[in-house]
Every structure is written in structure tokens, then in C-alpha cells.
Amino acid sequence: MRGKTDNGRSYYQEIEPELAKILVRENAAYVVNRHTIRRIYSNREFRKLILTRDGHACYFCGQYGDTIDHLLPRAKGGHTTPVNCVCACNECNHSKADRDLEEFTESIARTFRSE
Ligand SMILES: [Zn+2]
């Protein structure tokens, strides 16, 4: 996979074909040829893309957010793609940590019930 870092340097990284398929399917990369895919966004561009797309509104609570969160955590096999990433406020990003979305929304429901 080829891509650019935030400082404009090109890099090349061997990745699993399975991962390549996911990155292309989830709009994070495109196919250059049979053996190469290219990342569409640098980290900084990606961050900007997600925050702009979501209008800086936290996916979980709707407050202003300026961090990126993975719906399916990387620890559980989620990838940094436009499909798997949303804008989140600091608080939600922090409280969600590495739980997945289902556990997280359950914990919100519990919070609301207890009030
Ligand atoms: Zn929030």
C-alpha cells in the first residue's frame, strides 16, 4: 500500500490482501494496480474529512466534538476508514475507550434509566 504522511513523505507498506480489500471497500484507499492500493487521505486530511462531514457534532451526544472515534475499535479489528470513523467529543471518546458501540450505547441507556 502506498500513501503520504502528514509531512508529505511517501511511504510503502506491505499489507494483507484482506485488509486491502476492506480499506478499498470502506473508501479509505483506491486500487492502483493488481498489487498496489493507495491511501486516499493522510492522517490530517482524514481527520478533517470526518470532522467536516459530521459538522463537528459528536456522533454519540451531539455536542461539539473535535476528535475522531472508531465505531468498531481498532483493538477489535476496526479500521481507520470513513465508514468506521465518526466525530466525537472528548468526553464520549474518553468514556467509550475500547468498548464497542453496542456496549457503549447500552451503558448510555443505563445512565439515562438511572436518572
Ligand atoms: Zn459526545
Side-chain angles (χ1 to χ4, degrees), residues 58 60-63 88-89 91-92:
C58 173
F60 305 102
C61 72
Q63 301 291 317
C89 70
E91 208 175 319
C92 289

PDB file of all heavy atoms in Angstrom, residues 58 60-63 88-89 91-92, ligand 1:
ATOM      1  N   CYS A  58     -20.696  15.679  17.810  1.00  0.00           N
ATOM      2  CA  CYS A  58     -20.377  14.362  18.367  1.00  0.00           C
ATOM      3  C   CYS A  58     -21.424  13.343  17.933  1.00  0.00           C
ATOM      4  O   CYS A  58     -22.621  13.574  18.051  1.00  0.00           O
ATOM      5  CB  CYS A  58     -20.311  14.441  19.891  1.00  0.00           C
ATOM      6  SG  CYS A  58     -20.119  12.822  20.672  1.00  0.00           S
ATOM      7  N   PHE A  60     -22.201  10.646  19.285  1.00  0.00           N
ATOM      8  CA  PHE A  60     -22.862   9.987  20.405  1.00  0.00           C
ATOM      9  C   PHE A  60     -23.809  10.906  21.173  1.00  0.00           C
ATOM     10  O   PHE A  60     -24.869  10.489  21.625  1.00  0.00           O
ATOM     11  CB  PHE A  60     -21.826   9.390  21.360  1.00  0.00           C
ATOM     12  CG  PHE A  60     -20.880   8.467  20.648  1.00  0.00           C
ATOM     13  CD1 PHE A  60     -19.608   8.879  20.320  1.00  0.00           C
ATOM     14  CD2 PHE A  60     -21.282   7.198  20.277  1.00  0.00           C
ATOM     15  CE1 PHE A  60     -18.740   8.045  19.627  1.00  0.00           C
ATOM     16  CE2 PHE A  60     -20.434   6.345  19.596  1.00  0.00           C
ATOM     17  CZ  PHE A  60     -19.156   6.775  19.266  1.00  0.00           C
ATOM     18  N   CYS A  61     -23.423  12.179  21.351  1.00  0.00           N
ATOM     19  CA  CYS A  61     -24.247  13.062  22.178  1.00  0.00           C
ATOM     20  C   CYS A  61     -24.651  14.346  21.464  1.00  0.00           C
ATOM     21  O   CYS A  61     -25.473  15.100  21.965  1.00  0.00           O
ATOM     22  CB  CYS A  61     -23.529  13.391  23.492  1.00  0.00           C
ATOM     23  SG  CYS A  61     -22.128  14.513  23.254  1.00  0.00           S
ATOM     24  N   GLY A  62     -24.080  14.619  20.289  1.00  0.00           N
ATOM     25  CA  GLY A  62     -24.482  15.792  19.524  1.00  0.00           C
ATOM     26  C   GLY A  62     -23.794  17.090  19.932  1.00  0.00           C
ATOM     27  O   GLY A  62     -23.984  18.117  19.295  1.00  0.00           O
ATOM     28  N   GLN A  63     -22.980  17.037  20.988  1.00  0.00           N
ATOM     29  CA  GLN A  63     -22.233  18.228  21.384  1.00  0.00           C
ATOM     30  C   GLN A  63     -21.076  18.463  20.413  1.00  0.00           C
ATOM     31  O   GLN A  63     -20.765  17.619  19.588  1.00  0.00           O
ATOM     32  CB  GLN A  63     -21.651  18.035  22.805  1.00  0.00           C
ATOM     33  CG  GLN A  63     -22.678  17.777  23.874  1.00  0.00           C
ATOM     34  CD  GLN A  63     -23.544  18.985  24.163  1.00  0.00           C
ATOM     35  OE1 GLN A  63     -23.040  20.098  24.253  1.00  0.00           O
ATOM     36  NE2 GLN A  63     -24.846  18.778  24.272  1.00  0.00           N
ATOM     37  N   ALA A  88     -16.341  12.706  17.484  1.00  0.00           N
ATOM     38  CA  ALA A  88     -16.760  12.513  18.869  1.00  0.00           C
ATOM     39  C   ALA A  88     -16.212  13.645  19.732  1.00  0.00           C
ATOM     40  O   ALA A  88     -15.173  14.215  19.414  1.00  0.00           O
ATOM     41  CB  ALA A  88     -16.256  11.169  19.401  1.00  0.00           C
ATOM     42  N   CYS A  89     -16.931  13.997  20.791  1.00  0.00           N
ATOM     43  CA  CYS A  89     -16.399  14.974  21.729  1.00  0.00           C
ATOM     44  C   CYS A  89     -15.410  14.255  22.644  1.00  0.00           C
ATOM     45  O   CYS A  89     -15.401  13.031  22.731  1.00  0.00           O
ATOM     46  CB  CYS A  89     -17.515  15.635  22.527  1.00  0.00           C
ATOM     47  SG  CYS A  89     -18.325  14.556  23.715  1.00  0.00           S
ATOM     48  N   GLU A  91     -15.304  13.932  25.809  1.00  0.00           N
ATOM     49  CA  GLU A  91     -15.908  13.162  26.874  1.00  0.00           C
ATOM     50  C   GLU A  91     -16.364  11.783  26.396  1.00  0.00           C
ATOM     51  O   GLU A  91     -16.075  10.769  27.011  1.00  0.00           O
ATOM     52  CB  GLU A  91     -17.102  13.931  27.427  1.00  0.00           C
ATOM     53  CG  GLU A  91     -17.384  13.623  28.872  1.00  0.00           C
ATOM     54  CD  GLU A  91     -18.498  14.523  29.385  1.00  0.00           C
ATOM     55  OE1 GLU A  91     -18.476  15.730  29.031  1.00  0.00           O
ATOM     56  OE2 GLU A  91     -19.374  14.028  30.085  1.00  0.00           O
ATOM     57  N   CYS A  92     -17.093  11.765  25.274  1.00  0.00           N
ATOM     58  CA  CYS A  92     -17.585  10.492  24.747  1.00  0.00           C
ATOM     59  C   CYS A  92     -16.434   9.624  24.266  1.00  0.00           C
ATOM     60  O   CYS A  92     -16.411   8.424  24.510  1.00  0.00           O
ATOM     61  CB  CYS A  92     -18.556  10.721  23.596  1.00  0.00           C
ATOM     62  SG  CYS A  92     -20.134  11.393  24.133  1.00  0.00           S
TER      63      CYS A  92
HETATM   64 ZN    ZN B   1     -20.165  13.397  22.938  1.00  0.00          ZN
END
